[in-house]
Amino acid sequence: MSVTGRRAGTFCLLLVAALCAQATRVQVFEARSLNHNSANQRLTVERYARPRGDILVGDVAVTGSVPTRGRYAYKRGYTDGPLFAAVTGFASQAYGTTQLEGTEDDLLIGTDPRLGGWAVWDAVSRRQNPGGNVSTTLNRAAQEAAMRGLGAQKGAVAAIEPATGRILALASTPSYDPGSFAGSTSADQEAWNRLQTDPDQPMLNRALRQTYPPGSTFKVVTAAAALAAGVVTDPAAPTTAPFPYVLPGTTTPLVNDTAACDRPGQSLSAAMTASCNSVLGYLGVRTGLDAMAAMAENFGFNDPKLDMPVRPARSTFDTRMDQAQLALSSIGQFDTAATPLVMAMVAAGVANGGTVMRPQLVDKLTRSDGAVVRLMKPAVYRRALTPAVAGQVQKLMTDVVESGTGGNARIAGAVVGGKTGTAQHGVDNSGTPYAWFIAWAKPAGSDAVPPVAVAVVVADSDATDVSGGALAAPIARSVMRAVLGR
């Protein structure tokens, strides 16, 4: 072979090697980035080429797949979309996925490796498994009661089964229909744009993604901390709380909302029943910042990864503040902020003898044929209180309902414990107060753990009496009645 031929052959081999190297780089090292490039429509076409798995409440699917005549063979459909939007989220051809539609997306579209029989054969044959199903922990009656109770008001409800952490209701109003923009047509785009510009923010998940000052509902945490730390040993005994109580380091007294609180030495029991700011603020300071912060964190505050599997916004209790700020934080004001989910965990932890369970929104994951892929099990989040202290806090909460500000939550034939809250906010507290109520309930005479704990916040209402007892307690009552079967 001539020198020229050898050179030509060598050059061709180098070209082949370069092409192989480039193909390897593209197909192996850049495959993921190219697959997920927004300009690559292949994955989206494949995603909607077949029906999507369903999200279930009980044994009933609340989602579906709708055949189309467009580029994508199917789009997502929803039955009672606004009722469950805070749980399902949306799956849109144009705008992606959220909530359970997002966290369980691989299972729902059939790419989760747990759905296949033999992963190697599935990869070689390019076989696509049918989408799996997600069974939620929701109680449909409780969810309906929550949405009906909130009505046209801006607000949210979170209800939990205390012994397991199973979420029974998760509601946010105003809501939206996730099916209205599930496709990729101009009508879907118009629906999306309307929702994005709506001043009432219907797509904001107020149960999980919005935090509010919890107001006097946080006094349950303060009472628990004071009892656990031994600052109060007998809830019925007089305390050393002065009146007026001047915020430490200031000349500003911590005022109460009722004259029933305006005397020194109030017991913790009387202070909780009448919701006395001065007493609980004083006890929070006596308990101390470290103990108060630790108790708040036992119930889910300051946890940035409280996944269930959806990740809620972080509820906050400051760990650096002076005593005046601690007094305000101890009555749920200053910078203290909570999601309804975390305040439901407060009520649930007290109801469960002081053990806080990790919140759980998914019951099980299954294949399309019903075979279980994963069965969720209850898990302890924190042991916040001893059973003895939890029992003392339970008694404080039942007194609030029986003879205090929470009377609108009473249920015939049931024992109900609760705490009202009316949280101030805005510049110089100029905003319409947030009306809160947290509670638990069980059948009268039962020694079992209460089957339901709930938190309700009404964030905006045109009612004349904007208070937790007037606005939020009746909603909590209807949700708890639904769970109790009453």
Side-chain angles (χ1 to χ4, degrees), residues 16-364:
V16 171
L19 286 172
C20 289
Q22 174 68 359
T24 300
R25 182 181 68 83
V26 171
Q27 295 183 27
V28 178
F29 297 104
E30 294 189 11
R32 181 174 177 82
S33 62
L34 290 172
N35 278 339
H36 292 85
N37 190 297
S38 59
N40 183 2
Q41 293 294 301
R42 181 177 62 83
L43 287 182
T44 306
V45 171
E46 289 182 1
R47 173 188 295 271
Y48 292 101
R50 60 191 60 81
R52 185 176 175 89
D54 284 318
I55 298 173
L56 285 71
V57 174
D59 295 325
V60 180
V62 298
T63 59
S65 294
V66 181
T68 70
R69 296 181 180 179
R71 184 178 185 183
Y72 309 118
Y74 292 89
K75 70 175 183 178
R76 193 50 143 173
Y78 297 87
T79 60
D80 297 318
L83 176 61
F84 297 107
V87 174
T88 64
F90 61 79
S92 168
Q93 294 171 352
Y95 305 108
T97 58
T98 60
Q99 296 295 106
L100 288 183
E101 292 278 31
T103 60
E104 307 300 340
D105 185 58
D106 287 346
L107 181 113
L108 291 166
I109 65 175
T111 59
D112 190 314
R114 294 173 295 181
L115 296 175
W118 186 30
V120 175
W121 173 248
D122 290 344
V124 171
S125 65
R126 299 183 68 84
R127 175 178 175 270
Q128 178 65 57
N129 296 302
N133 297 328
V134 178
S135 294
T136 69
T137 59
L138 293 183
N139 177 311
R140 187 183 185 102
Q143 184 74 11
E144 290 175 343
M147 291 293 288
R148 185 169 56 248
L150 289 168
Q153 303 171 116
K154 289 181 184 176
V157 173
I160 294 175
E161 184 177 67
T164 63
R166 292 165 59 91
I167 294 174
L168 305 176
L170 202 65
S172 175
T173 55
S175 188
Y176 67 98
D177 182 3
S180 64
F181 54 89
S184 55
T185 66
S186 59
D188 292 285
Q189 183 177 357
E190 289 172 4
W192 172 267
N193 290 338
R194 282 195 301 271
L195 289 168
Q196 294 298 302
T197 58
D198 190 327
D200 289 334
Q201 297 180 283
M203 295 186 72
L204 173 62
N205 191 327
R206 292 174 168 85
L208 296 181
R209 297 301 307 165
Q210 183 69 31
T211 61
Y212 305 90
S216 292
T217 58
F218 191 81
K219 291 172 182 174
V220 173
V221 178
T222 302
L227 287 163
V231 172
V232 176
T233 55
D234 180 0
T239 67
T240 56
F243 182 82
Y245 175 56
V246 178
L247 294 173
T250 77
T251 58
T252 304
L254 186 54
V255 299
N256 296 304
D257 294 327
T258 171
C261 296
D262 294 351
R263 63 178 184 271
Q266 291 266 40
S267 69
L268 175 58
S269 178
M272 285 289 284
T273 301
S275 199
C276 300
N277 294 333
S278 57
V279 178
L280 272 299
Y282 167 80
L283 292 177
V285 173
R286 283 283 312 279
T287 301
L289 177 57
D290 290 346
M292 283 293 300
M295 186 59 70
E297 289 170 2
N298 283 340
F299 289 110
F301 284 80
N302 297 339
D303 187 345
K305 297 180 180 180
L306 192 62
D307 299 350
M308 32 157 260
V310 178
R311 179 166 293 181
R314 179 173 175 265
S315 298
T316 58
F317 185 86
D318 282 359
T319 56
R320 293 184 179 181
M321 51 183 157
D322 61 32
Q323 289 193 332
Q325 293 164 340
L326 176 58
L328 293 172
S329 296
S330 299
I331 61 169
Q333 296 287 172
F334 185 53
D335 285 342
T336 303
T339 60
L341 172 69
V342 162
M343 292 313 297
M345 290 173 65
V346 171
V350 171
N352 193 36
T355 299
V356 184
M357 303 300 290
R358 181 169 290 277
Q360 174 186 327
L361 186 55
V362 174
D363 179 41
K364 61 184 176 181

